[in-house]
Amino acid sequence: MNGLILIAYMHSCQLFFKGSAFITERKEGMLERSLVAGVTTGEVITAHMITQYVIMVGQTTLVLIFMVVVFEVPVRGPLGWAVILTLLQGTFHLQLPGFLISTVFVIYFRCCVAN
């Protein structure tokens, strides 16, 4: 049960960070300015992924330290596997939902709010 709480927390935080990063970038026109300056879309996506992955690793580290050391939640099995599985789960949530939410909100903003 405690592992599910950890994954749910990390998933919701990553959705917020990733979605807000894409929405802010599109709203301020930074993406268009970067593309005009010669930056490729692959470089933009890679920069976002690296930044969000660093945030996720730090978040995973802090949450696992607080769960195991401070709150004394027992870890059944090797701690290394718990860290690896949490990072893999976070990597999945880093890739898919942030793109989906930012795309949906940009389409909504263009269709409903701008008119």
Side-chain angles (χ1 to χ4, degrees), residues 17-87:
F17 287 134
K18 192 66 172 173
S20 65
F22 278 142
I23 290 170
T24 303
E25 184 175 286
R26 292 246 180 139
K27 183 180 173 187
E28 294 178 358
M30 291 171 41
L31 180 63
E32 288 81 12
R33 283 184 269 162
S34 297
L35 293 175
V36 168
V39 177
T40 64
T41 54
E43 292 171 341
V44 171
I45 291 174
T46 302
H48 275 288
M49 288 298 126
I50 290 172
T51 305
Q52 294 298 322
Y53 196 76
V54 167
I55 291 171
M56 183 198 57
V57 168
Q59 183 181 21
T60 301
T61 304
L62 286 175
V63 169
L64 284 175
I65 287 172
F66 271 88
M67 281 183 68
V68 174
V69 176
V70 176
F71 297 121
E72 298 176 356
V73 175
V75 177
R76 296 181 182 157
L79 184 61
W81 280 112
V83 171
I84 290 171
L85 289 174
T86 305
L87 288 175

Side-chain angles (χ1 to χ4, degrees), residues 2 9 25 32 58 71 80 92 110:
N2 296 322
Y9 170 74
E25 184 175 286
E32 288 81 12
F71 297 121
F92 169 73
R110 287 185 183 162

